[in-house]
Amino acid sequence: MPLTDTAVRNAKPEAKPRKLADEKGLFLLIHSNGSKYWRFKYRFGGKEKLLSLGVYPDVSLAQARQRRDDARKLLANEVDPGVFKQEAKRANREIAGNSFEAVGREWYTKHSPNWAVSHGDKIIRRLERDIFPWIGNRPIAEITAHVLLATLRRIENRGALETAHRAHQNCSQIFRYAVATGRAERDPSVDLRGALPPAKEKHHPSITDPTAIGELMRAVEGYRGSFVTRCALQLAPLLFVRPGELRRAEWSEVDLDKSEWRIPGEKMKMKAVHIVPLCSQAVAVLRELLALTGQGKYVFPGVRTPSRPMSENTVNSALRRLGYGKEELTGHGFRSMASTLLNEHGWNRDAIERQLAHAERDSVRAAYNYAEHLPERRKMMQEWADYLDGLKSGAKILTFKLN
């Protein structure tokens, strides 16, 4: 007699596993621990076989019967339902492995070792926040330009146009990787050129008026927060490296006797060694700091975890504490300050660009010319520091000494 919902629900376990038969090969297997499994018994190729149809109560009696009937239809077409199920699982695994997210994470794993840590973190956060939730589970080969554009529009509509353009670029890189590894035929993102409005060029807030710079230098001198943070604030305008390069500085890279900081290529945005000449003022700050943090790895260790560098928000937070809003000045703005004033006062543009570690068109040239313009840069960095001292003291200094 066929089973009923009540009979299935009330079936009790016994000392040994037992079966409750339904009809047409379907039965309920009840284990001694009380778990209940649907099974379908059938014959194929002269052999008796069993097919698992799910666990009760996740799969109801009606659902189990439907699955049994689907299996019987396969048998009627001379298809083994057990083999069919295994092939379906394999296909699903293949689809999951070729999803946009799976390919994207594989691309990230392959390439991220060659990026700065901060750069890689931004990319994966962007993908996890703005891309994967919407198209991550789709087979990458089936994603069209229209589908990708709809995802990018979500970013654009919240006012993050620059992020939308960066996400577009990252998606294109993932699609090209999929093509190269045989998971897609083409990159549909190329069809979206011009679909997003151009992003306005974003400049880091900076201070370039000499009088205002003097006020800033005096404010930094009077900073009453952490000594380590104060040192970072003092060095930022003297060195004008990127904020991430400054906070991740290691004592092993600094030679105070030679007045030089050599940043390894793997820590630089352009992957080339970068030499930062240290003016006498920077050396004095670092010698003070050496007594406090010199036993550790980092010049600017984190407050809670000294084995890691200070937080990326530390310098910006200190500037806010000094009364400078995010629209007035950021840690990155010290670079713009130096670049603007140095160019205005006639210093060699190539020396300025080299000191800022800006992109070199020829990557081979960049790798081997990290010492380019070094004597001139040493002189420039020292006179820049002297100029800042003059502004801090309130002197009306308008030009650098170029000779």
Side-chain angles (χ1 to χ4, degrees):
M1 184 171 68
L3 292 172
T4 64
D5 289 324
T6 301
V8 172
R9 184 171 59 253
N10 294 334
K12 303 298 182 185
E14 295 181 356
K16 294 182 179 180
R18 66 190 184 99
K19 300 177 183 178
L20 292 181
D22 185 49
E23 57 183 356
K24 301 176 183 177
L26 177 66
F27 65 89
L28 183 70
L29 177 63
I30 307 172
H31 284 278
S32 56
N33 61 5
S35 55
K36 302 173 181 179
Y37 298 87
W38 294 111
R39 297 286 187 265
F40 170 55
K41 184 169 66 174
Y42 66 98
R43 296 187 69 84
F44 187 87
K47 295 182 180 179
E48 185 176 283
K49 296 187 174 185
L50 286 177
L51 181 67
S52 298
L53 299 181
V55 182
Y56 180 85
D58 294 338
V59 177
S60 67
L61 174 59
Q63 290 172 321
R65 285 171 175 168
Q66 181 60 57
R67 294 182 182 186
R68 173 205 60 197
D69 293 342
D70 292 340
R72 285 169 58 83
K73 288 177 183 177
L74 291 172
L75 286 168
N77 288 294
E78 299 183 352
V79 175
D80 185 337
V83 174
F84 182 85
K85 183 178 180 180
Q86 291 302 316
E87 286 296 313
K89 284 184 178 180
R90 184 194 60 77
N92 287 335
R93 285 195 299 269
E94 185 174 330
I95 290 173
N98 292 333
S99 69
F100 185 89
E101 181 170 352
V103 177
R105 290 189 182 278
E106 183 180 319
W107 164 80
Y108 175 81
T109 301
K110 292 279 186 183
H111 292 280
S112 58
N114 299 317
W115 301 332
V117 174
S118 58
H119 178 64
D121 288 346
K122 288 177 183 177
I123 288 177
I124 197 63
R125 282 201 304 267
R126 188 181 302 131
L127 292 170
E128 290 175 342
R129 180 185 65 239
D130 294 321
I131 302 298
F132 290 161
W134 313 110
I135 61 172
N137 62 351
R138 295 193 179 207
I140 195 166
E142 297 177 11
I143 296 175
T144 63
H146 175 74
V147 169
L148 179 59
L149 180 59
T151 302
L152 296 175
R153 288 279 190 229
R154 291 177 181 273
I155 308 172
E156 178 193 352
N157 291 340
R158 71 167 191 260
L161 189 54
E162 184 180 355
T163 300
H165 279 280
R166 292 184 184 277
H168 181 198
Q169 180 184 34
N170 296 147
C171 288
S172 180
Q173 292 167 320
I174 293 170
F175 280 119
R176 293 201 302 272
Y177 177 77
V179 172
T181 55
R183 266 83 69 86
E185 293 297 321
R186 65 184 298 273
D187 171 12
S189 71
V190 298
D191 300 331
L192 300 183
R193 287 173 184 162
L196 294 173
K200 293 181 180 178
E201 188 175 358
K202 201 174 170 186
H203 296 283
H204 294 283
S206 184
I207 295 174
T208 56
D209 174 70
T211 301
I213 292 174
E215 294 172 357
L216 171 63
M217 294 300 102
R218 290 190 291 274
V220 167
E221 197 69 23
Y223 182 73
R224 292 295 176 262
S226 159
F227 177 72
V228 173
T229 302
R230 179 176 176 235
C231 290
L233 281 172
Q234 290 175 307
L235 289 170
L238 298 177
L239 309 180
F240 43 94
V241 291
R242 296 177 179 88
E245 295 158 4
L246 180 65
R247 72 184 185 86
R248 289 198 296 270
E250 299 179 27
W251 283 115
S252 62
E253 303 162 358
V254 178
D255 189 329
L256 294 178
D257 294 328
K258 289 185 177 180
S259 299
E260 187 175 280
W261 172 23
R262 288 197 174 215
I263 309 177
E266 60 266 21
K267 294 175 72 173
M268 295 298 298
K269 184 176 182 180
M270 304 314 299
K271 300 305 175 186
V273 174
H274 183 49
I275 298 178
V276 182
L278 300 175
C279 60
S280 59
Q281 293 89 332
V283 171
V285 172
L286 287 167
R287 286 197 184 282
E288 274 197 281
L289 190 57
L290 181 65
L292 181 63
T293 68
Q295 299 303 310
K297 176 180 180 181
Y298 292 104
V299 177
F300 306 103
V303 176
R304 295 182 178 83
T305 312
S307 60
R308 300 182 64 180
M310 68 161 52
S311 163
E312 60 183 337
N313 296 318
T314 302
V315 169
N316 284 340
S317 297
L319 289 172
R320 306 297 163 259
R321 186 172 176 177
L322 290 174
Y324 291 91
K326 63 181 180 181
E327 301 303 323
E328 295 178 271
L329 181 65
T330 66
H332 212 289
F334 289 113
R335 289 166 58 80
S336 302
M337 175 196 296
S339 177
T340 300
L341 272 294
L342 289 168
N343 276 291
E344 284 183 0
H345 288 81
W347 285 90
N348 184 331
R349 179 173 176 78
D350 288 341
I352 298 169
E353 291 298 292
R354 173 59 66 187
Q355 195 52 54
L356 289 166
H358 277 161
E360 172 66 64
R361 290 180 182 273
D362 186 335
S363 60
V364 175
R365 185 171 182 265
Y368 290 98
N369 288 298
Y370 52 83
E372 190 176 25
H373 301 292
L374 187 56
E376 184 176 6
R377 285 192 282 137
R378 289 188 186 281
K379 179 182 178 182
M380 178 180 71
M381 298 291 277
Q382 184 60 57
E383 293 195 10
W384 167 251
D386 294 342
Y387 174 78
L388 293 180
D389 276 351
L391 295 180
K392 182 171 64 176
S393 69
K396 302 297 182 181
I397 298 177
L398 299 178
T399 59
F400 292 110
K401 297 175 291 183
L402 293 176
N403 297 313

